Amino acid sequence: MKFDISLGMFVLSLIGAFSGWVAWWINNFNLNKQIATQKAVAIATKAVNEERDFVHLRNNQKDISNGVALGFNEMDRRFDNVDRELLEQKAWLIRGKPAHD
């Protein structure tokens, strides 16, 4: 039996092409898996960042609300003081005595 060189070259080229296709397919699968992992990490990171930002905004809103409430409490206290002072002056005026001796 005589060995045909062209047939041997054809078989070797088929083996090379098939092994190249397998190597490409494995690399493509790994690349797609890596890209999917990177996308999942990016989505998870974005979700965590959005949650953190929302918590910061909520805490800032609470701080602003507390500050406004404290401001109104202070204004109420001052108005109460002014009201008390006016009542004292009114009482002194009704008695006919000066407000401050």
Side-chain angles (χ1 to χ4, degrees):
M1 184 165 162
K2 190 173 181 183
F3 181 71
D4 188 12
I5 295 289
S6 61
L7 181 63
M9 293 297 283
F10 179 72
V11 169
L12 284 176
S13 65
L14 280 180
I15 291 171
F18 181 74
S19 64
W21 178 79
V22 168
W24 174 84
W25 188 78
I26 290 171
N27 286 337
N28 191 30
F29 177 75
N30 288 337
L31 180 64
N32 288 339
K33 188 168 62 171
Q34 182 181 9
I35 289 172
T37 303
Q38 288 174 348
K39 285 181 181 179
V41 167
I43 290 170
T45 303
K46 183 179 177 187
V48 167
N49 289 339
E50 288 173 352
E51 178 67 23
R52 187 191 66 229
D53 290 345
F54 179 74
V55 168
H56 283 301
L57 289 173
R58 187 177 60 209
N59 290 339
N60 287 343
Q61 182 66 34
K62 285 180 184 178
D63 290 342
I64 290 170
S65 296
N66 290 339
V68 168
L70 287 173
F72 279 121
N73 289 340
E74 179 64 20
M75 285 181 11
D76 284 342
R77 187 187 65 78
R78 289 183 182 191
F79 283 134
D80 289 342
N81 288 342
V82 168
D83 191 36
R84 194 173 8 221
E85 288 287 327
L86 286 174
L87 284 174
E88 287 177 13
Q89 290 178 7
K90 185 178 178 182
W92 281 101
L93 287 174
I94 289 173
R95 290 183 187 167
K97 296 180 182 178
H100 295 285
D101 290 334

